[in-house]
Amino acid sequence: DAEGLLRIKEENQKHYRRAQRHQEKKEKIQKHNRKLGDLVEKKTYDLKTQYEHLANLRRTHILELTSVIFPIEEVKTSMRDPADVSSESDNAMTSSTVSKLAEARRTTYLSGRWVCDDHNGDTSISITGPWITLPNNGDYSAYYNWVEEKKTTQGPDMEHNNPAYTISAALCYATQLVNTLSLILDVNLPKKLCNRQFCGENLSRHRFTRAVKKLNANILHLCFSQHVNLDLLHPLHTLRNLMYLVSPDTENLGR
């Protein structure tokens, strides 16, 4: 029994020394984990700082791009209210006629149906200059209507002020701007759209509307990625959505 007791004591001492070594190893591991935690916290702070710096650089580049090369502005048209016109004309125009004219100004025939225009049709959005504009309500039917009429009309086209030209030019510039913004913001666009899509050959109605839908989808995707206020966006307002995206008031631009 004495020999057995001595043997058990020796085993207990071995276990105790082994427990001490494990305790020291545990303390070293905890100390190492604390150092790693401090390092990760510092790296996280540095990464956040770099992200903020990168966002500021992106924001600066975008604001320079949209102020020098691709300025986007809201252009007011010189359309007068029917009530003002009626006050200067004879008294034959009744109040019902004036109200009907005002209601007609607030509606637009778009893709086979009448839609309400929130901005009463008195504004348009320009890109790269006040002479290149898009309708505020997203009605680009003037383009494919012109293409269809041109197919049936023989001879050279001498109408240089045709709205179809300004529509195709504005959409071409908008596509180029969107593709450039995707590179600056490092955001992959959901739809592939070339810069030359709207210039060159005359597009059919199907191809034109399909390309416009792709462009609008890419613009909305960029707006969502930069946390633009959803209440400001409209799926058909191409340049207006783009204007909200690159506005200096967009707090998260460059994120």
PDB file of all heavy atoms in Angstrom, residues 139-166:
ATOM      1  N   ASP A 139     -40.301  60.274 -72.028  1.00  0.00           N
ATOM      2  CA  ASP A 139     -40.955  59.935 -73.289  1.00  0.00           C
ATOM      3  C   ASP A 139     -39.978  60.179 -74.435  1.00  0.00           C
ATOM      4  O   ASP A 139     -39.724  61.323 -74.812  1.00  0.00           O
ATOM      5  CB  ASP A 139     -42.214  60.787 -73.471  1.00  0.00           C
ATOM      6  CG  ASP A 139     -42.951  60.447 -74.764  1.00  0.00           C
ATOM      7  OD1 ASP A 139     -42.620  59.409 -75.363  1.00  0.00           O
ATOM      8  OD2 ASP A 139     -43.838  61.216 -75.160  1.00  0.00           O
ATOM      9  N   TYR A 140     -39.402  59.087 -74.978  1.00  0.00           N
ATOM     10  CA  TYR A 140     -38.450  59.196 -76.073  1.00  0.00           C
ATOM     11  C   TYR A 140     -39.057  58.717 -77.386  1.00  0.00           C
ATOM     12  O   TYR A 140     -38.346  58.281 -78.299  1.00  0.00           O
ATOM     13  CB  TYR A 140     -37.203  58.362 -75.763  1.00  0.00           C
ATOM     14  CG  TYR A 140     -36.596  58.662 -74.412  1.00  0.00           C
ATOM     15  CD1 TYR A 140     -36.044  57.645 -73.634  1.00  0.00           C
ATOM     16  CD2 TYR A 140     -36.596  59.950 -73.893  1.00  0.00           C
ATOM     17  CE1 TYR A 140     -35.492  57.910 -72.399  1.00  0.00           C
ATOM     18  CE2 TYR A 140     -36.055  60.229 -72.659  1.00  0.00           C
ATOM     19  CZ  TYR A 140     -35.506  59.207 -71.906  1.00  0.00           C
ATOM     20  OH  TYR A 140     -34.969  59.483 -70.677  1.00  0.00           O
ATOM     21  N   SER A 141     -40.367  58.798 -77.492  1.00  0.00           N
ATOM     22  CA  SER A 141     -41.041  58.296 -78.693  1.00  0.00           C
ATOM     23  C   SER A 141     -40.675  59.110 -79.926  1.00  0.00           C
ATOM     24  O   SER A 141     -40.819  58.629 -81.052  1.00  0.00           O
ATOM     25  CB  SER A 141     -42.554  58.312 -78.491  1.00  0.00           C
ATOM     26  OG  SER A 141     -43.003  59.621 -78.179  1.00  0.00           O
ATOM     27  N   ALA A 142     -40.198  60.345 -79.743  1.00  0.00           N
ATOM     28  CA  ALA A 142     -39.830  61.166 -80.895  1.00  0.00           C
ATOM     29  C   ALA A 142     -38.711  60.525 -81.696  1.00  0.00           C
ATOM     30  O   ALA A 142     -38.616  60.719 -82.908  1.00  0.00           O
ATOM     31  CB  ALA A 142     -39.412  62.562 -80.428  1.00  0.00           C
ATOM     32  N   TYR A 143     -37.863  59.740 -81.011  1.00  0.00           N
ATOM     33  CA  TYR A 143     -36.742  59.110 -81.722  1.00  0.00           C
ATOM     34  C   TYR A 143     -37.236  58.040 -82.678  1.00  0.00           C
ATOM     35  O   TYR A 143     -36.990  58.099 -83.887  1.00  0.00           O
ATOM     36  CB  TYR A 143     -35.753  58.508 -80.723  1.00  0.00           C
ATOM     37  CG  TYR A 143     -34.595  57.802 -81.387  1.00  0.00           C
ATOM     38  CD1 TYR A 143     -33.479  58.511 -81.775  1.00  0.00           C
ATOM     39  CD2 TYR A 143     -34.639  56.433 -81.644  1.00  0.00           C
ATOM     40  CE1 TYR A 143     -32.418  57.881 -82.409  1.00  0.00           C
ATOM     41  CE2 TYR A 143     -33.578  55.785 -82.276  1.00  0.00           C
ATOM     42  CZ  TYR A 143     -32.468  56.513 -82.647  1.00  0.00           C
ATOM     43  OH  TYR A 143     -31.427  55.884 -83.264  1.00  0.00           O
ATOM     44  N   TYR A 144     -37.938  57.006 -82.154  1.00  0.00           N
ATOM     45  CA  TYR A 144     -38.322  55.924 -83.057  1.00  0.00           C
ATOM     46  C   TYR A 144     -39.437  56.329 -84.005  1.00  0.00           C
ATOM     47  O   TYR A 144     -39.595  55.722 -85.068  1.00  0.00           O
ATOM     48  CB  TYR A 144     -38.666  54.639 -82.287  1.00  0.00           C
ATOM     49  CG  TYR A 144     -39.535  54.795 -81.077  1.00  0.00           C
ATOM     50  CD1 TYR A 144     -40.900  54.980 -81.184  1.00  0.00           C
ATOM     51  CD2 TYR A 144     -38.991  54.730 -79.791  1.00  0.00           C
ATOM     52  CE1 TYR A 144     -41.710  55.101 -80.085  1.00  0.00           C
ATOM     53  CE2 TYR A 144     -39.790  54.854 -78.668  1.00  0.00           C
ATOM     54  CZ  TYR A 144     -41.145  55.035 -78.817  1.00  0.00           C
ATOM     55  OH  TYR A 144     -41.946  55.160 -77.709  1.00  0.00           O
ATOM     56  N   ASN A 145     -40.206  57.364 -83.653  1.00  0.00           N
ATOM     57  CA  ASN A 145     -41.173  57.879 -84.621  1.00  0.00           C
ATOM     58  C   ASN A 145     -40.456  58.504 -85.811  1.00  0.00           C
ATOM     59  O   ASN A 145     -40.855  58.332 -86.972  1.00  0.00           O
ATOM     60  CB  ASN A 145     -42.086  58.909 -83.956  1.00  0.00           C
ATOM     61  CG  ASN A 145     -43.066  58.264 -82.994  1.00  0.00           C
ATOM     62  OD1 ASN A 145     -43.341  57.063 -83.081  1.00  0.00           O
ATOM     63  ND2 ASN A 145     -43.588  59.050 -82.074  1.00  0.00           N
ATOM     64  N   TRP A 146     -39.357  59.209 -85.501  1.00  0.00           N
ATOM     65  CA  TRP A 146     -38.564  59.807 -86.575  1.00  0.00           C
ATOM     66  C   TRP A 146     -37.901  58.736 -87.431  1.00  0.00           C
ATOM     67  O   TRP A 146     -37.829  58.855 -88.655  1.00  0.00           O
ATOM     68  CB  TRP A 146     -37.517  60.732 -85.964  1.00  0.00           C
ATOM     69  CG  TRP A 146     -36.493  61.211 -86.938  1.00  0.00           C
ATOM     70  CD1 TRP A 146     -36.633  62.163 -87.906  1.00  0.00           C
ATOM     71  CD2 TRP A 146     -35.144  60.734 -87.055  1.00  0.00           C
ATOM     72  NE1 TRP A 146     -35.463  62.312 -88.604  1.00  0.00           N
ATOM     73  CE2 TRP A 146     -34.537  61.455 -88.110  1.00  0.00           C
ATOM     74  CE3 TRP A 146     -34.404  59.777 -86.364  1.00  0.00           C
ATOM     75  CZ2 TRP A 146     -33.213  61.237 -88.484  1.00  0.00           C
ATOM     76  CZ3 TRP A 146     -33.088  59.569 -86.729  1.00  0.00           C
ATOM     77  CH2 TRP A 146     -32.501  60.282 -87.772  1.00  0.00           C
ATOM     78  N   VAL A 147     -37.423  57.676 -86.787  1.00  0.00           N
ATOM     79  CA  VAL A 147     -36.799  56.586 -87.536  1.00  0.00           C
ATOM     80  C   VAL A 147     -37.806  55.932 -88.476  1.00  0.00           C
ATOM     81  O   VAL A 147     -37.508  55.648 -89.642  1.00  0.00           O
ATOM     82  CB  VAL A 147     -36.194  55.545 -86.579  1.00  0.00           C
ATOM     83  CG1 VAL A 147     -35.714  54.315 -87.343  1.00  0.00           C
ATOM     84  CG2 VAL A 147     -35.039  56.152 -85.791  1.00  0.00           C
ATOM     85  N   GLU A 148     -39.025  55.702 -87.990  1.00  0.00           N
ATOM     86  CA  GLU A 148     -40.047  55.080 -88.831  1.00  0.00           C
ATOM     87  C   GLU A 148     -40.466  55.996 -89.979  1.00  0.00           C
ATOM     88  O   GLU A 148     -40.702  55.537 -91.095  1.00  0.00           O
ATOM     89  CB  GLU A 148     -41.253  54.715 -87.968  1.00  0.00           C
ATOM     90  CG  GLU A 148     -40.958  53.613 -86.934  1.00  0.00           C
ATOM     91  CD  GLU A 148     -42.129  53.352 -86.016  1.00  0.00           C
ATOM     92  OE1 GLU A 148     -43.146  54.072 -86.159  1.00  0.00           O
ATOM     93  OE2 GLU A 148     -42.032  52.454 -85.160  1.00  0.00           O
ATOM     94  N   GLU A 149     -40.535  57.309 -89.696  1.00  0.00           N
ATOM     95  CA  GLU A 149     -40.884  58.243 -90.764  1.00  0.00           C
ATOM     96  C   GLU A 149     -39.766  58.350 -91.794  1.00  0.00           C
ATOM     97  O   GLU A 149     -40.006  58.502 -92.991  1.00  0.00           O
ATOM     98  CB  GLU A 149     -41.183  59.621 -90.171  1.00  0.00           C
ATOM     99  CG  GLU A 149     -42.459  59.658 -89.344  1.00  0.00           C
ATOM    100  CD  GLU A 149     -42.674  61.029 -88.721  1.00  0.00           C
ATOM    101  OE1 GLU A 149     -41.823  61.912 -88.966  1.00  0.00           O
ATOM    102  OE2 GLU A 149     -43.680  61.199 -88.011  1.00  0.00           O
ATOM    103  N   LYS A 150     -38.530  58.258 -91.325  1.00  0.00           N
ATOM    104  CA  LYS A 150     -37.400  58.375 -92.244  1.00  0.00           C
ATOM    105  C   LYS A 150     -37.341  57.198 -93.206  1.00  0.00           C
ATOM    106  O   LYS A 150     -36.881  57.324 -94.347  1.00  0.00           O
ATOM    107  CB  LYS A 150     -36.096  58.477 -91.446  1.00  0.00           C
ATOM    108  CG  LYS A 150     -34.886  58.812 -92.292  1.00  0.00           C
ATOM    109  CD  LYS A 150     -33.639  58.972 -91.452  1.00  0.00           C
ATOM    110  CE  LYS A 150     -32.438  59.290 -92.326  1.00  0.00           C
ATOM    111  NZ  LYS A 150     -31.192  59.432 -91.534  1.00  0.00           N
ATOM    112  N   LYS A 151     -37.806  56.019 -92.750  1.00  0.00           N
ATOM    113  CA  LYS A 151     -37.808  54.845 -93.626  1.00  0.00           C
ATOM    114  C   LYS A 151     -38.733  55.040 -94.817  1.00  0.00           C
ATOM    115  O   LYS A 151     -38.469  54.531 -95.913  1.00  0.00           O
ATOM    116  CB  LYS A 151     -38.229  53.607 -92.838  1.00  0.00           C
ATOM    117  CG  LYS A 151     -37.198  53.164 -91.800  1.00  0.00           C
ATOM    118  CD  LYS A 151     -37.696  51.936 -91.064  1.00  0.00           C
ATOM    119  CE  LYS A 151     -36.682  51.474 -90.030  1.00  0.00           C
ATOM    120  NZ  LYS A 151     -37.158  50.286 -89.263  1.00  0.00           N
ATOM    121  N   THR A 152     -39.821  55.777 -94.601  1.00  0.00           N
ATOM    122  CA  THR A 152     -40.796  55.982 -95.679  1.00  0.00           C
ATOM    123  C   THR A 152     -40.528  57.249 -96.480  1.00  0.00           C
ATOM    124  O   THR A 152     -41.168  57.475 -97.495  1.00  0.00           O
ATOM    125  CB  THR A 152     -42.214  56.068 -95.087  1.00  0.00           C
ATOM    126  OG1 THR A 152     -42.262  57.152 -94.135  1.00  0.00           O
ATOM    127  CG2 THR A 152     -42.556  54.769 -94.369  1.00  0.00           C
ATOM    128  N   THR A 153     -39.573  58.091 -96.011  1.00  0.00           N
ATOM    129  CA  THR A 153     -39.284  59.349 -96.696  1.00  0.00           C
ATOM    130  C   THR A 153     -37.973  59.205 -97.466  1.00  0.00           C
ATOM    131  O   THR A 153     -36.962  58.805 -96.905  1.00  0.00           O
ATOM    132  CB  THR A 153     -39.161  60.499 -95.691  1.00  0.00           C
ATOM    133  OG1 THR A 153     -40.372  60.567 -94.919  1.00  0.00           O
ATOM    134  CG2 THR A 153     -38.934  61.827 -96.399  1.00  0.00           C
ATOM    135  N   GLN A 154     -38.012  59.537 -98.722  1.00  0.00           N
ATOM    136  CA  GLN A 154     -36.827  59.450 -99.574  1.00  0.00           C
ATOM    137  C   GLN A 154     -36.080  60.780 -99.557  1.00  0.00           C
ATOM    138  O   GLN A 154     -36.654  61.845 -99.356  1.00  0.00           O
ATOM    139  CB  GLN A 154     -37.226  59.093-101.019  1.00  0.00           C
ATOM    140  CG  GLN A 154     -37.966  57.779-101.141  1.00  0.00           C
ATOM    141  CD  GLN A 154     -37.102  56.600-100.727  1.00  0.00           C
ATOM    142  OE1 GLN A 154     -35.871  56.626-100.878  1.00  0.00           O
ATOM    143  NE2 GLN A 154     -37.738  55.554-100.224  1.00  0.00           N
ATOM    144  N   GLY A 155     -34.774  60.717 -99.795  1.00  0.00           N
ATOM    145  CA  GLY A 155     -33.974  61.926 -99.861  1.00  0.00           C
ATOM    146  C   GLY A 155     -33.204  62.158 -98.579  1.00  0.00           C
ATOM    147  O   GLY A 155     -33.452  61.529 -97.553  1.00  0.00           O
ATOM    148  N   PRO A 156     -32.258  63.101 -98.622  1.00  0.00           N
ATOM    149  CA  PRO A 156     -31.421  63.376 -97.444  1.00  0.00           C
ATOM    150  C   PRO A 156     -32.220  64.059 -96.344  1.00  0.00           C
ATOM    151  O   PRO A 156     -33.212  64.753 -96.609  1.00  0.00           O
ATOM    152  CB  PRO A 156     -30.319  64.286 -97.991  1.00  0.00           C
ATOM    153  CG  PRO A 156     -30.953  64.960 -99.183  1.00  0.00           C
ATOM    154  CD  PRO A 156     -31.882  63.945 -99.778  1.00  0.00           C
ATOM    155  N   ASP A 157     -31.771  63.867 -95.134  1.00  0.00           N
ATOM    156  CA  ASP A 157     -32.427  64.475 -93.981  1.00  0.00           C
ATOM    157  C   ASP A 157     -31.798  65.831 -93.719  1.00  0.00           C
ATOM    158  O   ASP A 157     -30.633  65.928 -93.329  1.00  0.00           O
ATOM    159  CB  ASP A 157     -32.274  63.574 -92.752  1.00  0.00           C
ATOM    160  CG  ASP A 157     -33.039  64.119 -91.554  1.00  0.00           C
ATOM    161  OD1 ASP A 157     -33.841  65.045 -91.769  1.00  0.00           O
ATOM    162  OD2 ASP A 157     -32.806  63.646 -90.432  1.00  0.00           O
ATOM    163  N   MET A 158     -32.543  66.894 -93.928  1.00  0.00           N
ATOM    164  CA  MET A 158     -32.018  68.254 -93.752  1.00  0.00           C
ATOM    165  C   MET A 158     -32.465  68.891 -92.456  1.00  0.00           C
ATOM    166  O   MET A 158     -32.187  70.056 -92.203  1.00  0.00           O
ATOM    167  CB  MET A 158     -32.483  69.131 -94.935  1.00  0.00           C
ATOM    168  CG  MET A 158     -32.076  68.584 -96.293  1.00  0.00           C
ATOM    169  SD  MET A 158     -30.278  68.425 -96.457  1.00  0.00           S
ATOM    170  CE  MET A 158     -29.825  70.150 -96.407  1.00  0.00           C
ATOM    171  N   GLU A 159     -33.191  68.159 -91.638  1.00  0.00           N
ATOM    172  CA  GLU A 159     -33.722  68.731 -90.397  1.00  0.00           C
ATOM    173  C   GLU A 159     -32.704  68.527 -89.269  1.00  0.00           C
ATOM    174  O   GLU A 159     -32.705  67.527 -88.562  1.00  0.00           O
ATOM    175  CB  GLU A 159     -35.051  68.064 -90.041  1.00  0.00           C
ATOM    176  CG  GLU A 159     -35.769  68.768 -88.898  1.00  0.00           C
ATOM    177  CD  GLU A 159     -37.111  68.120 -88.615  1.00  0.00           C
ATOM    178  OE1 GLU A 159     -37.498  67.213 -89.364  1.00  0.00           O
ATOM    179  OE2 GLU A 159     -37.757  68.543 -87.640  1.00  0.00           O
ATOM    180  N   HIS A 160     -31.803  69.501 -89.095  1.00  0.00           N
ATOM    181  CA  HIS A 160     -30.726  69.356 -88.116  1.00  0.00           C
ATOM    182  C   HIS A 160     -31.225  69.558 -86.687  1.00  0.00           C
ATOM    183  O   HIS A 160     -30.552  69.146 -85.745  1.00  0.00           O
ATOM    184  CB  HIS A 160     -29.612  70.350 -88.419  1.00  0.00           C
ATOM    185  CG  HIS A 160     -28.984  70.127 -89.764  1.00  0.00           C
ATOM    186  ND1 HIS A 160     -28.191  69.041 -90.047  1.00  0.00           N
ATOM    187  CD2 HIS A 160     -29.061  70.848 -90.918  1.00  0.00           C
ATOM    188  CE1 HIS A 160     -27.776  69.098 -91.306  1.00  0.00           C
ATOM    189  NE2 HIS A 160     -28.300  70.177 -91.860  1.00  0.00           N
ATOM    190  N   ASN A 161     -32.342  70.207 -86.498  1.00  0.00           N
ATOM    191  CA  ASN A 161     -32.884  70.444 -85.157  1.00  0.00           C
ATOM    192  C   ASN A 161     -33.888  69.384 -84.737  1.00  0.00           C
ATOM    193  O   ASN A 161     -34.694  69.609 -83.838  1.00  0.00           O
ATOM    194  CB  ASN A 161     -33.536  71.824 -85.089  1.00  0.00           C
ATOM    195  CG  ASN A 161     -32.519  72.936 -85.257  1.00  0.00           C
ATOM    196  OD1 ASN A 161     -31.372  72.793 -84.845  1.00  0.00           O
ATOM    197  ND2 ASN A 161     -32.947  74.031 -85.868  1.00  0.00           N
ATOM    198  N   ASN A 162     -33.850  68.257 -85.391  1.00  0.00           N
ATOM    199  CA  ASN A 162     -34.774  67.184 -85.052  1.00  0.00           C
ATOM    200  C   ASN A 162     -34.546  66.725 -83.619  1.00  0.00           C
ATOM    201  O   ASN A 162     -33.400  66.489 -83.210  1.00  0.00           O
ATOM    202  CB  ASN A 162     -34.562  66.006 -86.016  1.00  0.00           C
ATOM    203  CG  ASN A 162     -35.704  65.012 -85.954  1.00  0.00           C
ATOM    204  OD1 ASN A 162     -36.019  64.490 -84.886  1.00  0.00           O
ATOM    205  ND2 ASN A 162     -36.315  64.761 -87.098  1.00  0.00           N
ATOM    206  N   PRO A 163     -35.606  66.596 -82.801  1.00  0.00           N
ATOM    207  CA  PRO A 163     -35.413  66.155 -81.415  1.00  0.00           C
ATOM    208  C   PRO A 163     -34.831  64.760 -81.298  1.00  0.00           C
ATOM    209  O   PRO A 163     -34.250  64.415 -80.276  1.00  0.00           O
ATOM    210  CB  PRO A 163     -36.827  66.213 -80.824  1.00  0.00           C
ATOM    211  CG  PRO A 163     -37.749  66.162 -82.003  1.00  0.00           C
ATOM    212  CD  PRO A 163     -37.028  66.873 -83.095  1.00  0.00           C
ATOM    213  N   ALA A 164     -34.953  63.943 -82.350  1.00  0.00           N
ATOM    214  CA  ALA A 164     -34.371  62.606 -82.298  1.00  0.00           C
ATOM    215  C   ALA A 164     -32.855  62.673 -82.185  1.00  0.00           C
ATOM    216  O   ALA A 164     -32.227  61.819 -81.552  1.00  0.00           O
ATOM    217  CB  ALA A 164     -34.775  61.812 -83.542  1.00  0.00           C
ATOM    218  N   TYR A 165     -32.245  63.697 -82.784  1.00  0.00           N
ATOM    219  CA  TYR A 165     -30.796  63.838 -82.695  1.00  0.00           C
ATOM    220  C   TYR A 165     -30.373  64.163 -81.268  1.00  0.00           C
ATOM    221  O   TYR A 165     -29.390  63.616 -80.756  1.00  0.00           O
ATOM    222  CB  TYR A 165     -30.317  64.935 -83.645  1.00  0.00           C
ATOM    223  CG  TYR A 165     -30.476  64.596 -85.107  1.00  0.00           C
ATOM    224  CD1 TYR A 165     -30.732  65.582 -86.054  1.00  0.00           C
ATOM    225  CD2 TYR A 165     -30.376  63.284 -85.551  1.00  0.00           C
ATOM    226  CE1 TYR A 165     -30.876  65.280 -87.393  1.00  0.00           C
ATOM    227  CE2 TYR A 165     -30.523  62.965 -86.884  1.00  0.00           C
ATOM    228  CZ  TYR A 165     -30.775  63.967 -87.804  1.00  0.00           C
ATOM    229  OH  TYR A 165     -30.924  63.648 -89.121  1.00  0.00           O
ATOM    230  N   THR A 166     -31.075  65.083 -80.633  1.00  0.00           N
ATOM    231  CA  THR A 166     -30.713  65.448 -79.256  1.00  0.00           C
ATOM    232  C   THR A 166     -30.963  64.299 -78.290  1.00  0.00           C
ATOM    233  O   THR A 166     -30.203  64.099 -77.341  1.00  0.00           O
ATOM    234  CB  THR A 166     -31.511  66.681 -78.812  1.00  0.00           C
ATOM    235  OG1 THR A 166     -32.925  66.396 -78.891  1.00  0.00           O
ATOM    236  CG2 THR A 166     -31.199  67.871 -79.692  1.00  0.00           C
TER     237      THR A 166
END
